[in-house]
């Protein structure tokens, strides 16, 4: 291989390695993502299990089951 090809290859490898270092989330970002997901799940659970939403969902299911085909 010529010197120019090696230099370009080495530069490319360095760029790829640098990109890999910053490619993923760190542990603290995972922790914050999990906390946010759990908070969203709790809020969604509270909404879905509320009396108003529960009654509406039951009404939708009853109408779907009683529909004529």
């Amino acid at each position: 291989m010529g010197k120019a090809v090696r230099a370009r290859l080495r530069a490319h490898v360095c760029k790829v390695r640098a990109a890999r270092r910053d490619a993923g989330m760190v542990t603290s970002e995972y922790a914050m993502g999990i906390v946010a997901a759990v908070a969203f799940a709790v809020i969604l659970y509270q909404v879905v299990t509320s009396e108003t939403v529960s009654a509406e969902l039951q009404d939708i299911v009853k109408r779907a089951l009683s529909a004529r085909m």
Side-chain angles (χ1 to χ4, degrees), residues 35-49:
V35 168
V38 169
F40 180 73
V42 168
I43 292 170
L44 185 62
Y45 177 77
Q46 292 293 325
V47 169
V48 171
T49 58

Side-chain angles (χ1 to χ4, degrees), residues 7-60:
R8 290 177 72 191
L9 183 59
R10 191 177 304 122
H12 179 70
V13 168
C14 288
K15 286 181 187 177
V16 170
R17 286 182 182 162
R20 284 186 191 162
R21 282 185 283 225
D22 296 332
M25 292 193 301
V26 295
T27 304
S28 61
E29 290 172 331
Y30 278 117
M32 292 303 294
I34 290 170
V35 168
V38 169
F40 180 73
V42 168
I43 292 170
L44 185 62
Y45 177 77
Q46 292 293 325
V47 169
V48 171
T49 58
S50 69
E51 289 185 26
T52 306
V53 174
S54 180
E56 287 295 323
L57 289 174
Q58 287 178 358
D59 184 47
I60 291 170

